């Protein structure tokens, strides 16, 4: 969890590789659907471009299908879902059916000034979805992905007005989940304003510590 630009995608991708888990990002799946002009993509596009949440029923069905795929059976990192209390309830029901559960909720805590600076400089890869930043995490070759050689682009929803709307939506709809997961004793908060490696190490420390307790 965390506001737009907290580093959810950056951290979840690296962590998934390190821990051998599936990385499931609802934002990435929705963007792939928009790029392929699927029916779901056509339904989601307008909401995404306005910085609004895509309707719960569309996203929840998509998550249910993705979690039922074989690679998720060994464990997964969900990035960008759940995003409101209704989605949290749906997730609980889906996981119950699959005889699985949530081990940890990592909340990446970062101030809004940092978020705006990060998102206005973000570059994403069309090929593998890797994230870069013009100043903080530049690619080795301009506008080319280090991982796959794909072209880098600026996301439609990273315009200033849309970033502000996404932050508003986060405050109103997603931030109540912090309290929800705290009450469930699943929440771990990490200061995410530092270097990506420092943030990653802190997450690994928390996850390993709690794994040892289990
Ligand atoms: P989504 O793609 O999930 O967007 P988001 O939550 O707004 O988050 P971002 O992807 O913008 O940020 P991030 O936290 O992943 O940061 P990142 O690692 O990229 O969702 C997009 C849209 O899809 C939503 O608005 C909605 O419409 C829809 N949607 C998705 N899920 C949904 C759901 N469950 N329900 C309904 N609708 C849904 O990093 C950002 C930048 O900062 C990068 O440039 C990166 O290089 C840089 N950076 C990262 N970490 C650091 C660091 N530590 N130091 C310096 N720079 C850093």
């Amino acid at each position: 969890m965390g506001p737009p630009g907290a580093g959810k995608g950056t951290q979840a991708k690296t962590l998934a590789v390190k821990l051998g888990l599936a990385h499931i990002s609802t934002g990435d799946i929705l963007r792939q659907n928009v790029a392929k002009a699927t029916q779901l993509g056509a339904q989601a596009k307008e909401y995404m471009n306005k910085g609004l949440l895509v309707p719960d029923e569309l996203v929840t069905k998509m998550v249910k299908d993705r979690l039922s795929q074989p690679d998720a059976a060994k464990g997964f990192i969900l990035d960008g879902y759940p995003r409101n209390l209704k989605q949290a309830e749906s997730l609980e029901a889906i996981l119950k059916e699959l005889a699985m559960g949530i081990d940890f909720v990592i909340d990446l805590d970062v101030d809004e000034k940092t978020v705006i600076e990060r998102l206005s400089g973000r570059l994403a890869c069309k090929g593998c979805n890797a994230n870069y930043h013009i100043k903080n995490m530049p690619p080795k070759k301009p506008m080319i992905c280090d991982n796959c050689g794909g072209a880098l682009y600026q996301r439609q929803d990273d315009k200033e007005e849309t970033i502000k709307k996404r932050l508003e939506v986060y405050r109103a709809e997603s931030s109540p989940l912090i309290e929800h997961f705290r009450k469930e004793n699943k929440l771990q908060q990490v200061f995410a304003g530092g270097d990506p490696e420092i943030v990653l190490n802190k997450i690994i420390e928390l996850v390993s510590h709690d794994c040892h307790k289990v």
Side-chain angles (χ1 to χ4, degrees):
M1 281 191 62
K8 301 182 295 293
T10 303
Q11 296 300 335
K13 282 185 183 93
T14 317
L15 197 64
V17 172
K18 277 196 188 284
L19 302 180
L21 302 172
H23 170 220
I24 301 176
S25 155
T26 44
D28 284 352
I29 303 175
L30 287 168
R31 277 184 292 280
Q32 280 157 15
N33 276 276
V34 172
K36 288 184 193 154
T38 64
Q39 196 187 349
L40 171 61
Q43 287 168 299
K45 190 175 175 180
E46 207 180 312
Y47 295 97
M48 296 172 79
N49 287 347
K50 286 184 183 157
L52 301 172
L53 292 185
V54 174
D56 291 337
E57 56 279 13
L58 295 180
V59 183
T60 295
K61 182 185 178 311
M62 185 182 92
V63 168
K64 190 172 181 184
D65 292 346
R66 181 63 187 88
L67 286 175
S68 309
Q69 286 172 24
D71 68 326
K74 63 183 183 221
F76 50 82
I77 300 177
L78 269 177
D79 162 6
Y81 188 94
R83 223 133 157 152
N84 56 31
L85 289 166
K86 191 160 175 240
Q87 291 185 9
E89 283 165 16
S90 301
L91 178 62
E92 212 171 290
I94 295 169
L95 293 178
K96 204 168 172 194
E97 258 180 52
L98 294 168
M100 295 177 102
I102 299 172
D103 295 312
F104 318 97
V105 176
I106 311 271
D107 178 45
L108 298 180
D109 188 16
V110 69
D111 62 73
E112 290 196 1
K113 188 168 164 270
T114 308
V115 158
I116 291 167
E117 193 268 326
R118 284 184 185 175
L119 293 183
S120 45
R122 168 167 54 190
L123 298 171
C125 174
K126 280 189 178 164
C128 69
N129 297 317
N131 280 318
Y132 297 87
H133 188 277
I134 290 173
K135 277 193 270 167
N136 304 337
M137 297 166 70
K140 288 183 187 132
K141 289 187 199 156
M143 301 308 281
I144 304 285
C145 177
D146 296 352
N147 296 342
C148 75
L152 302 185
Y153 74 106
Q154 186 175 34
R155 269 172 46 176
Q156 272 284 334
D157 58 352
D158 279 349
K159 295 187 182 118
E160 199 181 329
E161 274 317 296
T162 322
I163 295 172
K164 283 189 187 150
K165 186 72 203 167
R166 285 159 66 202
L167 281 167
E168 241 174 68
V169 169
Y170 172 78
R171 275 185 239 117
E173 300 198 39
S174 307
S175 64
L177 285 176
I178 296 177
E179 214 32 55
H180 171 81
F181 286 119
R182 185 175 283 129
K183 280 191 192 140
E184 296 217 331
N185 224 5
K186 307 247 187 243
L187 191 79
Q188 297 280 11
Q189 281 183 303
V190 173
F191 170 66
D195 284 347
E197 298 75 26
I198 297 176
V199 180
L200 180 68
N201 288 338
K202 184 70 191 158
I203 297 172
I204 291 175
E205 195 185 300
L206 283 172
V207 171
S208 331
H209 182 257
D210 275 27
C211 281
H212 290 140
K213 274 203 302 199
V214 176

